[in-house]
Amino acid sequence: RKAWKPRRVALLQISEPGESPAPHQQRLAIGIDLGTTNSLVATVRNSIAVVLNDAEGHALLPSIVRYLPDGGVQVGLAAEAQLAKDPRNTIVSVKRFMGRGLKDVPYPENSPYDFVDAPGMVQIRTGAGVKSPVEVSAEILKTLRRRAEAALGIVSGSGIDGGSGEGGLYGAVITVPAYFDDAQRQATKDAARLAGLNVMRLLNEPTAAAIAYGLDNAAEGIYAVFDLGGGTFDVSILKLTRGVFEVMATGGDSALGGDDFDHRLFCWVLEQARLAPLSDEDTRLMLSRARQVKEDLTNHAVARFNARLSTKEVVDVVVTQQDFWDMTRTLVAKTLAPTRRALRDAGLALTDVTGVVMVGGATRMPHVQRAVGELFGQVPLNNLDPDKVVALGAAMQANALAGNRSSEEDWLLLDVVPLSLGIETMGGLVEKVIPRNSTLPVSRAQEFTTFKDGQTAMAVHVVQGERELVDDCRSLARFELREIPPMAAGAARIRVTYQVDADGLLSVSAREATSRTEASVAVKPSYGLSDGDITRMLRDSFEHAKNDVYLRALREQQVEGGRMVEAVRAALAMDAGLLSADERAAIDAAIAALQAVMAGTDHRAIKAAIERVNRTTDGFAAQRMDRSVKQALAGRNIASI
């Protein structure tokens, strides 16, 4: 008898699209909160999101980079220790410079840095050479990547090319402020690539916080995410329904953050101690001490502001919790107006909000929590560490994008466009193509046409903002559509399409219908909107709404008047012989009157003058039509018609 030999059968591994083919092998993905003051990295272990610590057990990495003359780099606590001694080469709050030019840097003359106004983005001269904000941010991200690799047992540098990630780091989700524009988001992605990271998604910080709270702590409903970080304030109104996170509206104040509370305390101490102007080194020392005192006052009624200056002078001032609350009361109040505005944008009342999520270390201040609680009439949710909640949410999203979650556990994120995206039309007007607070990703298209006879090219000017005139919005990009077939004015059909991806990055294309000529641009402006620009634009759009409507009406009538004058003059050049002397004089007078009022600011008068030209030229138009018909029928018999 022959012994039976086991037969080896190859089994097919079946998995859901996007999920790991081996359920027991998870793709290693991380979430990074690249913050103004501190940065963190987190991952999901055993279905639980956890922040990864460094070798010394620290979770927070100070977002500080110091460049040494020998080319060396210090990041985090080591750099922070030298902050007061080497302020020119120790860069803090670099997130404020991402995607921005020198003209966007507030008060550069008061900064210890040696800024270089380079094309594209402001640079900083250091002892190790000129560095861009992207390079500085990349050093922070590199440190976080190495921390994650060490904690996850990954060989450094493996699996970071967007491939399978077998045995390496599959990818990362990096958070950005909701108000980051296209250039700032692009700069963040560039920094991540420079740090050797595969960016799976840029995620808005308030949305990341909502993920962390919504899945573990909250029921379905409307949530306000109140994010007061070190450099900016963001508020987002989100709706959570059956696993769908929909951002209904965003708002904020980019010129407000925990740093401003530090500075207010710093100025108060200067007044109390009657100090003379300080050196860069002493200013940094005092600001650092102000932050420590602010944190002490979170849990204590009294704190002592003590510092020894380089002049050997000792500053010793007692600060009470009430003193600090009084001096920063106006800063707290500045967070409430954008919050109310975001609710109005979402069409909601304060009573519609199910819960308020507190994000950012600055929300630990008791008077901030009290003000928010009084505004909404409920105790804010703060059972998660406000410093860590964004990184935890990013890690959850990274885990989902890596395919480690089952389809039953998936959720859908619906973020929004923070500012309207539009195109310049004749007269310097803005035609909004994608309105503010549109859900991402989004694609919208509109048809435009030519303004002049025989026009063979069209300039496409992409702008961002809420105002009616191009001059009051921000230019993002320009490109030209050429080789348009020559046609009569208004005959060409040019379809302009705007697409914004899930990361909030914009691309624009233009296509002429008959010839199918096409041109496009990926909008990567040399530098984009600062947070302050966005806040200012929104504020101006509310303050100047009535005037903007009037100016738009004026420009529209001026453009229509110009078109009318050009058309009538072209007709006169061809067929003036059809008119009597009196008819010609009446038309000339109507045209002159129209041109006179077009120079003014009364759009109603321009409209009336256009209507007068129409009435005056009605007979002329009829004569031209009759002659054209007679010429077309000349020499033809009835049977051929």
Side-chain angles (χ1 to χ4, degrees):
R1 297 174 60 183
K2 293 182 180 180
W4 286 100
K5 185 177 182 180
R7 184 181 180 186
R8 295 184 179 180
V9 179
L11 299 178
L12 295 177
Q13 174 65 53
I14 300 175
S15 63
E16 292 293 328
E19 290 190 8
S20 174
H24 60 284
Q25 294 180 359
Q26 285 206 338
R27 290 169 173 165
L28 301 177
I30 57 175
I32 292 178
D33 176 8
L34 183 60
T36 305
T37 307
N38 294 296
S39 297
L40 304 92
V41 59
T43 193
V44 173
R45 283 176 166 169
N46 301 319
S47 301
I48 299 174
V50 293
V51 170
L52 301 177
N53 297 337
D54 64 11
E56 287 74 38
H58 300 121
L60 299 181
L61 175 73
S63 300
I64 303 174
V65 178
R66 182 189 180 211
Y67 289 95
L68 306 177
D70 61 1
V73 179
Q74 293 178 325
V75 180
L77 293 171
E80 186 178 42
Q82 302 301 317
L83 184 58
K85 296 181 180 179
D86 190 15
R88 293 178 68 84
N89 297 304
T90 307
I91 302 170
V92 300
S93 301
V94 71
K95 188 173 177 178
R96 294 192 174 201
F97 307 141
M98 290 287 278
R100 298 171 67 180
L102 181 59
K103 69 177 184 179
D104 298 315
V105 176
Y107 310 112
E109 65 278 1
N110 294 335
S111 172
Y113 307 129
D114 182 7
F115 290 111
V116 178
D117 191 11
M121 195 185 305
V122 66
Q123 315 272 308
I124 302 173
R125 195 184 310 278
T126 73
V130 176
K131 303 294 180 181
S132 75
V134 169
E135 292 175 281
V136 179
S137 297
E139 294 294 343
I140 299 169
L141 291 170
K142 280 180 191 175
T143 303
L144 293 174
R145 192 201 81 203
R146 293 180 188 127
R147 176 186 295 186
E149 289 172 342
L152 298 174
I154 297 173
V155 177
S156 182
S158 63
I160 58 174
D161 58 356
S164 67
E166 295 297 331
L169 194 59
Y170 182 77
V173 168
I174 300 177
T175 62
V176 292
Y179 265 42
F180 256 26
D181 82 314
D182 188 82
Q184 292 166 306
R185 290 169 189 267
Q186 189 61 51
T188 303
K189 291 190 82 171
D190 291 342
R193 282 193 287 268
L194 192 59
L197 289 166
N198 170 39
V199 181
M200 296 188 292
R201 174 74 56 84
L202 294 181
L203 184 64
N204 284 351
E205 290 165 1
T207 309
I211 292 172
Y213 267 103
L215 296 179
D216 292 340
N217 298 279
E220 293 183 353
I222 305 295
Y223 290 88
V225 182
F226 186 96
D227 185 355
L228 185 60
T232 59
F233 166 65
D234 283 322
V235 60
S236 292
I237 309 301
L238 300 99
K239 183 178 182 180
L240 174 58
T241 309
R242 296 179 180 178
V244 177
F245 285 91
E246 179 183 0
V247 182
M248 303 178 70
T250 62
D253 186 339
S254 60
L256 180 63
D259 292 348
D260 297 283
F261 287 77
D262 301 341
H263 194 265
R264 186 67 59 87
L265 178 57
F266 162 74
C267 293
W268 184 84
V269 171
L270 288 184
E271 293 177 359
Q272 296 296 311
R274 298 181 181 179
L275 295 174
L278 303 176
S279 65
D280 289 344
E281 179 181 338
D282 287 340
T283 298
R284 277 290 178 83
L285 175 64
M286 292 281 285
L287 284 171
S288 178
R289 185 59 185 141
R291 178 174 300 173
Q292 295 171 11
V293 171
K294 175 190 70 177
E295 294 170 357
D296 289 344
L297 290 171
T298 296
N299 299 311
H300 301 92
V302 179
R304 184 175 294 277
F305 192 113
N306 187 276
R308 180 180 292 275
L309 305 181
S310 59
T311 59
K312 307 303 182 183
E313 185 176 1
V314 175
V315 179
D316 190 7
V317 177
V318 173
V319 187
T320 68
Q321 200 173 61
Q322 191 62 52
D323 289 333
F324 182 62
W325 292 355
D326 289 341
M327 73 180 75
T328 58
R329 193 182 304 276
T330 56
L331 296 177
V332 176
K334 286 177 66 176
T335 66
L336 304 183
T339 303
R340 294 188 183 96
R341 188 178 302 126
L343 283 167
R344 286 198 301 270
D345 289 346
L348 298 169
L350 289 164
T351 53
D352 295 326
V353 176
T354 306
V356 185
V357 176
M358 302 296 277
V359 183
T363 60
R364 285 193 175 92
M365 291 183 282
H367 59 318
V368 172
Q369 293 198 23
R370 186 172 64 246
V372 173
E374 290 174 353
L375 176 67
F376 286 96
Q378 59 181 288
V379 178
L381 299 172
N382 56 10
N383 49 310
L384 292 181
D385 188 331
D387 282 324
K388 298 179 179 179
V389 64
V390 169
L392 294 173
M396 293 178 185
Q397 173 67 353
N399 191 55
L401 292 177
N404 295 328
R405 295 170 58 89
S406 67
S407 58
E408 291 80 8
E409 296 177 301
D410 279 348
W411 64 83
L412 177 64
L413 300 180
L414 300 176
D415 265 324
V416 296
V417 177
L419 282 176
S420 298
L421 297 164
I423 188 172
E424 178 179 1
T425 59
M426 287 303 299
L429 298 175
V430 176
E431 181 69 23
K432 292 182 176 67
V433 179
I434 297 181
R436 180 167 70 98
N437 286 328
S438 296
T439 301
L440 296 179
V442 61
S443 178
R444 299 276 176 87
Q446 282 188 224
E447 282 198 350
F448 298 88
T449 189
T450 50
F451 180 73
K452 293 185 177 181
D453 292 340
Q455 185 174 334
T456 60
M458 174 181 282
V460 178
H461 184 196
V462 183
V463 297
Q464 187 174 36
E466 304 307 313
R467 303 288 296 277
E468 298 292 336
L469 304 183
V470 168
D471 291 345
D472 297 322
C473 292
R474 185 60 179 264
S475 173
L476 291 185
R478 298 174 186 265
F479 67 100
E480 288 189 351
L481 178 65
R482 296 184 174 275
E483 300 180 7
I484 299 172
M487 309 180 200
R493 287 169 42 230
I494 298 163
R495 186 175 181 83
V496 179
T497 303
Y498 280 47
Q499 290 182 309
V500 186
D501 65 17
D503 292 332
L505 302 178
L506 170 67
S507 61
V508 181
S509 63
R511 181 186 180 94
E512 199 280 316
T514 57
S515 66
R516 297 190 177 181
T517 301
E518 189 167 357
S520 63
V521 62
V523 180
K524 294 181 181 179
S526 57
Y527 59 88
L529 298 172
S530 68
D531 289 347
D533 285 337
I534 296 173
T535 304
R536 175 182 53 77
M537 285 180 172
L538 287 177
R539 185 175 60 248
D540 288 350
S541 71
F542 292 115
E543 294 176 353
H544 302 291
K546 185 175 180 180
N547 188 50
D548 283 353
V549 170
Y550 181 87
L551 289 175
R552 183 180 184 91
L554 175 62
R555 291 289 180 87
E556 287 176 341
Q557 293 303 323
Q558 287 172 334
V559 170
E560 182 61 26
R563 183 182 289 115
M564 175 68 73
V565 170
E566 189 171 327
V568 173
R569 283 180 171 168
L572 288 173
M574 295 175 61
D575 298 315
L578 297 175
L579 299 170
S580 67
D582 289 344
E583 289 172 332
R584 175 62 188 266
I587 290 175
D588 287 342
I591 290 293
L594 173 57
Q595 289 179 305
V597 296
M598 280 173 58
T601 58
D602 188 347
H603 67 86
R604 296 181 183 84
I606 299 173
K607 184 177 181 180
I610 291 172
E611 291 172 351
R612 178 186 171 191
V613 172
N614 270 323
R615 290 193 302 270
T616 307
T617 57
D618 277 347
F620 181 35
Q623 292 181 62
R624 296 185 75 211
M625 179 66 72
D626 289 345
R627 191 181 71 168
S628 296
V629 171
K630 289 177 182 178
Q631 289 175 342
L633 296 178
R636 304 176 68 185
N637 57 39
I638 297 297
S640 67
I641 301 177

